[in-house]
Amino acid sequence: MTLIRLRWAEVLRRLKRGIPFLEPFHGIPSCELSVSPNENEIIFKIKAWDDVRTLKGRGKIQISSDKKIKEIHLRCSEKDLYGPFYEICSGIADAIQIYKKKPTTAIKESLARFEKILQKRKSPAKEVIIGLIGELYFFNELIKKRNATLVFKYWSGINSEEHDFTCPNEDYEIKTTLKETREHKISSLNQLLPKHKRNLYLVSYLLTSGSGSKSFSLNDLLNNIKNARGGDEIVAKTLSKIEVFAENISDSPDMEVRYLLRRKPCCYLVDAQFPKIIKTTLKANSHRINDVNYNIFLEDYAEETGFNVYKDRIKYI
C-alpha cells in the first residue's frame, strides 16, 4: 500500500506564501499537518488516542494529547527544523496508517531517527555561506558573457580545497566578507600559492544586507546556476552537488537573506608584492609548519586598479 505525500519542496513553497493551510495525510487513522506561518508553528495531528506521557519532545518539538477528542499533537516552533520535522511526521503517518503501529511506538522510532538527522544536518557556518555566495556571484558574472558549460568546468565546486576557479590561462580565489573593510581570511599555506607558473588572482567582494532590484540571495544565485544551460557529465555532477547542498539547507533562513555589493568588487594579481604567507616566505624551520590561518587587509590596496582589473578579467577570462 502506498500513500501519496506532498514533497517538502511543495510544503516550503506554501510556507513562503505566508498563508495558513491544512494538509491531510489520508489513511486510517487520519492525520493532518496544520501550518500557521504567522504563528511560527507547525502542528501534526494524529486522530487517535494513545498515552504519550512517557514520550519526551526534542528541542523545539513538543508532544501532547487530548483524551476527550482522541488526538495526539506534535508541535514544532523552530523554523530551521521545519524540513526534518515534516519528514518525521510523514514517517509517523506511514507507520500508523500502513504498518499499523501504535502511535507511541511510531513517534518514539521517528524521534530517534530525527536525532540522527539533526546530528548529520548541521548548517554550514555563516562564513562558509558567505564564501559560497561570493563564488556563486562570480559564477553568475561569468555566465553572462560565455557558455555555461565552460564555466561549470572552470569552477572547482562546493567545498573544494582547490582554487575556486581554474580557467584556461589563470586561477581565481574568491574572497567575500560582510565587514566594512576589505579584510579576508586565508586558511592555508597553499590558498594564495600560484600553481604551475600560472597567474593567480584574488577576487574581493564586500557584501551588506539590502533589498531592491539589485539585491540577491543565496537562493537566487543557486537557481540561476541550476537554470543555466549545459549538457555534459561535468555539468551534471556539479548540478547534482548543488542540488544536494541546496536541499540540505533548504529550510535555513540563510537561503533567503538578501545582499548588495557594499563597494566595487576588486581583483588582484597575487604576485611577489601581494601580502601572503606561503612556504617560501617563511624562514628557517618552515618544513615544520603545516598550516596557517591569517587575515589580509586590502583596504586602500590599489582599489581603483583592482576594480579595473576585475572588469577586464570578467570580460576576457
Side-chain angles (χ1 to χ4, degrees):
M1 179 180 180
T2 302
L3 299 177
I4 298 174
R5 312 291 191 207
L6 276 185
R7 293 183 61 191
W8 166 244
E10 174 59 22
V11 176
L12 182 62
R13 186 184 69 80
R14 295 185 184 184
L15 269 171
K16 288 177 179 178
R17 291 170 58 191
I19 301 173
F21 66 91
L22 193 70
E23 176 61 28
F25 286 64
H26 297 293
I28 300 175
S30 64
C31 304
E32 65 184 28
L33 192 75
S34 173
V35 180
S36 300
N38 294 333
E39 296 177 11
N40 297 321
E41 186 176 59
I42 292 181
I43 305 174
F44 179 66
K45 299 178 180 180
I46 303 170
K47 302 299 181 71
W49 165 251
D50 202 354
D51 191 351
V52 298
R53 288 177 295 178
T54 59
L55 298 178
K56 294 182 180 181
R58 300 289 192 276
K60 296 286 184 174
I61 296 179
Q62 293 85 41
I63 304 169
S64 61
S65 61
D66 190 323
K67 192 172 184 179
K68 290 182 180 179
I69 60 174
K70 292 185 170 54
E71 283 189 0
I72 300 169
H73 296 172
L74 279 77
R75 287 179 164 83
C76 179
S77 57
E78 181 66 56
K79 286 185 178 180
D80 287 353
L81 300 181
Y82 281 0
F85 179 71
Y86 179 74
E87 296 300 327
I88 70 163
C89 291
S90 296
I92 292 170
D94 286 348
I96 63 177
Q97 291 177 344
I98 300 175
Y99 302 107
K100 304 304 179 184
K101 291 185 177 183
K102 292 179 61 178
T104 49
T105 302
I107 293 170
K108 185 176 181 179
E109 291 175 352
S110 291
L111 287 178
R113 288 195 298 273
F114 181 68
E115 287 288 349
K116 293 180 180 179
I117 290 173
L118 290 186
Q119 290 172 4
K120 294 180 180 178
R121 188 187 175 90
K122 292 183 178 179
S123 294
K126 186 72 172 182
E127 66 180 36
V128 174
I129 293 290
I130 297 302
L132 178 60
I133 287 174
E135 289 183 42
L136 298 180
Y137 187 90
F138 188 73
F139 190 111
N140 277 270
E141 290 275 82
L142 294 183
I143 61 175
K144 291 176 184 177
K145 297 182 178 295
R146 52 191 53 78
N147 183 283
T149 300
L150 287 177
V151 183
F152 274 106
K153 292 178 180 179
Y154 297 163
W155 188 34
S156 298
I158 293 174
N159 297 327
S160 172
E161 297 297 324
E162 301 294 325
H163 291 144
D164 298 321
F165 288 82
T166 301
C167 300
N169 300 310
E170 65 272 327
D171 300 332
Y172 292 83
E173 188 67 30
I174 315 301
K175 287 296 174 182
T176 312
T177 181
L178 291 175
K179 295 180 180 180
E180 294 183 5
T181 56
R182 205 175 289 279
E183 183 178 352
H184 299 293
K185 181 179 179 180
I186 307 301
S187 56
S188 77
L189 285 170
N190 296 325
Q191 199 166 22
L192 295 183
L193 179 65
K195 298 178 182 178
H196 313 300
K197 298 182 179 180
R198 293 162 55 86
N199 282 339
L200 172 63
Y201 290 90
L202 182 142
V203 173
S204 169
Y205 290 123
L206 274 66
L207 303 182
T208 184
S209 57
S211 59
S213 61
K214 292 186 178 180
S215 67
F216 52 87
S217 67
L218 174 57
N219 196 39
D220 292 339
L221 297 173
L222 285 168
N223 285 335
N224 287 346
I225 291 175
K226 287 190 288 184
N227 293 333
R229 298 195 175 188
D232 65 8
E233 187 176 353
I234 292 177
V235 173
K237 287 182 178 178
T238 304
L239 281 174
S240 177
K241 290 180 181 179
I242 290 174
E243 291 280 4
V244 170
F245 180 86
E247 180 66 24
N248 284 341
I249 64 168
S250 61
D251 54 338
S252 168
D254 287 319
M255 287 290 284
E256 298 297 344
V257 176
R258 304 200 69 79
Y259 297 97
L260 290 166
L261 292 180
R262 184 187 295 275
R263 300 217 307 262
K264 295 177 181 178
C266 284
C267 182
Y268 306 98
L269 175 64
V270 182
D271 56 13
Q273 287 72 46
F274 191 84
K276 63 184 180 297
I277 299 175
I278 56 177
K279 283 283 188 181
T280 56
T281 62
L282 299 173
K283 295 182 179 180
N285 292 322
S286 63
H287 63 288
R288 299 185 185 280
I289 299 175
N290 291 325
D291 212 351
V292 296
N293 283 279
Y294 61 99
N295 287 5
I296 55 172
F297 188 71
L298 300 175
E299 192 71 12
D300 300 325
Y301 183 83
E303 181 148 339
E304 195 57 40
T305 301
F307 177 57
N308 290 333
V309 173
Y310 178 83
K311 291 190 295 182
D312 182 69
R313 299 322 306 158
I314 289 292
K315 184 176 180 181
Y316 292 110
I317 288 174

